[in-house]
Amino acid sequence: MAHSLLVMKFGGTNMGDANAIRHSASLAARSIREGVRVVVVVSAMAGVTNSLLRLADAAQSGDIAAANDEIAAMRTRHFTAAQELGAAPDSGPVREIRELHETLRQAIYGVYLLRELTPRSRDLIVAFGERLSAPLMSLALTGQGVRAHHLSGGQAGIVTDAHFGNARPLPGSYERVADRLGGLLSAGVTPVVAGFMGETESGAITTLGRGGTDFTATIVGKALHAGEVWAWKDVDGVMSADPRVVKDARNIEVLSYGEVMELAYFGAKVLHPLAVTPLRESGIPLRVKSAADPDFPGTLVQEDARDDAAHPVKAVTAIRGVSIINVTGAGALGVPEVVASLFDAIARENITLLMVSQSSSMSNVSLAVQSVYAARTLAALRASVTGELQVDEQPGVAVLAIVGAGMRGQKGVAARLFGALAQNDVNILMISQGSSELNISVAVEDAQVEGATRAVHAAFGLGEPVAAD
Ligand code: ADP
Ligand code: ASP
Ligand code: MG
């Protein structure tokens, strides 16, 4: 089906070097030549976001030499790519890349002098990755005869709250994006938007959380009423498991918005957990496609899960680096106010609970959280409970989840999951099933999670081809 407008997002690998960028640009150019209007949204070059986070930490701890070395390496990498994409030594894009590195160097020097890295300054620093890759995509498109113009997230109209590191778009973004990008599109210009970043109302740079370029693309898609959003990746699509862990993981043809959110939430790094929310509100489909195999359909994400009874489970995924926080104390937990105060304490800290379970004897409540938040969770709980209750942490845990709309109301799915785990001597620490019945999750020891993922993948036959209907 031909679309009049597509948003195309290119991930870090697809922006890895001049060749990858040229190939990505050719994928956009191909549709543009067919008469489709395209908005391109780009990630930072592969590895740059991590590098920026590292150098910010180095500056904060006083190691300015290490930070400067890393900036110099980044600068060379971006200059080389620009040159290979045909930029003349003193052309606009080269000057822009030089100026951005100079500003980055100054920001890093500020962090070094102050020995202070606030969430706000970290966002300013980490967003340079996308600000630097956008001009490279513009260059590549120009090289292929496409008129292009690049913009930062803020310039493209993405306004967010001030939740630095994990900002959310404000509703006003949609009109602004439509206005700013619509103008370029009607003038026959292809906008190139720096993903991952936005701006507060007062102009401070924010980021949307790791993997946030997916989110930028879907915000833009909703704003412009795109026919579809295409996320180009280095994998065939969303797969039945992380292909790095399960060798026979297969591409999933169709997933619902709800299924993909569960997958992303439970650790499938392939999409930002909130990426499909703007699309879900507007019914726009998302396609996850392989840049290496552009004619392969990839994964279609839409409202209808197209579940089939023979395959109730579509994927298995895991979150590593989890801790279980146990709250114990005979009797006290039977009092509803006590349990409520525990959850209040966690909510105030803005910590996401991955799993919750309460024993029926009411003497124990277990909470699974990312281990990085364990210390904060312990402190918050200890401050809110009376002496009768004991709070402790069990680190070294992972949460494994099976996802699929088809398991709703189906018997035997849980039995098959537990059977596979038991056969592989995997000890189950916690169990939960959401009321949506889109997933069942279990907490297991982290050391066992990769084996457990492979066993569960095999038990549900996820590596076998799905028969055509
Ligand atoms: P991009 O920069 O294109 O967004 P990411 O590295 O963020 O790329 O996401 C793609 C990666 O996600 C893949 O290379 C793969 O290793 C990982 N991944 C984890 N789980 C899955 C899954 N279920 N399906 C596909 N990829 C997955
Ligand atoms: N570059 C950012 C990250 O690595 C955003 C993205 O790639 O989606 O998290
Ligand atoms: Mg990503």
Side-chain angles (χ1 to χ4, degrees), residues 123-459:
D123 267 5
L124 172 80
I125 290 163
V126 82
F128 273 98
E130 274 69 11
R131 288 167 78 188
L132 282 162
S133 65
L136 297 176
M137 176 54 86
S138 274
L139 265 171
L141 285 167
T142 310
Q144 297 182 32
V146 173
R147 283 173 64 208
H149 179 75
H150 57 272
L151 309 100
S152 71
Q155 288 166 337
I158 296 181
V159 207
T160 72
D161 59 21
H163 195 151
F164 294 100
N166 217 359
R168 297 285 164 263
L170 299 179
S173 296
Y174 296 102
E175 218 180 291
R176 245 193 251 207
V177 170
D179 202 47
R180 301 204 179 161
L181 303 189
L184 289 170
L185 287 164
S186 11
V189 175
T190 298
V192 176
V193 180
F196 182 47
M197 61 177 305
E199 258 175 47
T200 62
E201 292 280 10
S202 56
I205 287 179
T206 53
T207 63
L208 306 173
R210 293 307 303 266
T213 305
D214 297 322
F215 200 8
T216 306
T218 58
I219 296 166
V220 170
K222 177 181 172 181
L224 295 169
H225 307 287
E228 290 186 353
V229 174
W230 291 6
W232 293 98
K233 304 251 168 187
D234 61 353
V235 276
D236 281 348
V238 180
M239 312 195 60
S240 52
D242 185 340
R244 286 168 304 187
V245 176
V246 181
K247 293 293 164 258
D248 64 342
R250 291 181 63 86
N251 177 59
I252 306 169
E253 274 173 45
V254 179
L255 281 168
S256 69
Y257 299 123
E259 287 176 323
V260 102
M261 279 180 77
E262 295 281 332
L263 269 176
Y265 182 80
F266 283 103
K269 200 193 138 223
V270 63
L271 281 174
H272 185 288
L274 293 182
V276 296
T277 49
L279 302 184
R280 192 176 206 176
E281 292 155 10
S282 47
I284 299 171
L286 168 72
R287 257 178 224 282
V288 181
K289 286 177 71 72
S290 161
D293 191 3
D295 294 321
F296 185 75
T299 301
L300 174 64
V301 184
Q302 58 177 22
E303 185 57 42
D304 174 16
R306 241 196 251 167
D307 47 298
D308 87 74
H311 299 91
V313 173
K314 289 186 178 168
V316 50
T317 180
I319 313 181
R320 312 285 299 262
V322 172
S323 290
I324 295 181
I325 309 293
N326 288 304
V327 186
T328 41
L333 287 166
V335 183
E337 289 75 26
V338 176
V339 178
S341 75
L342 297 179
F343 288 111
D344 273 352
I346 303 229
R348 272 196 303 275
E349 286 290 316
N350 214 352
I351 290 165
T352 307
L353 293 176
L354 303 171
M355 289 174 82
V356 178
S357 86
Q358 181 169 18
S359 67
S360 51
S361 64
M362 301 201 190
S363 60
N364 170 279
V365 173
S366 299
L367 311 167
V369 298
Q370 294 275 6
S371 298
V372 287
Y373 302 128
R376 261 170 64 204
T377 311
L378 284 174
L381 291 176
R382 285 186 179 139
S384 80
V385 299
T386 61
E388 275 177 76
L389 292 174
Q390 217 192 319
V391 187
D392 55 59
E393 175 193 358
Q394 176 179 1
V397 175
V399 174
L400 177 149
I402 52 173
V403 175
M407 61 176 138
R408 203 171 274 147
Q410 269 224 28
K411 296 192 190 71
V413 175
R416 211 179 326 166
L417 169 67
F418 300 143
L421 295 173
Q423 254 173 32
N424 285 274
D425 281 326
V426 178
N427 193 14
I428 300 178
L429 309 170
M430 268 172 93
I431 300 173
S432 110
Q433 174 168 30
S435 59
S436 67
E437 287 189 60
L438 281 178
N439 83 77
I440 302 176
S441 48
V442 292
V444 301
E445 274 157 32
D446 191 74
Q448 294 191 307
V449 72
E450 293 203 349
T453 303
R454 288 189 279 268
V456 170
H457 192 263

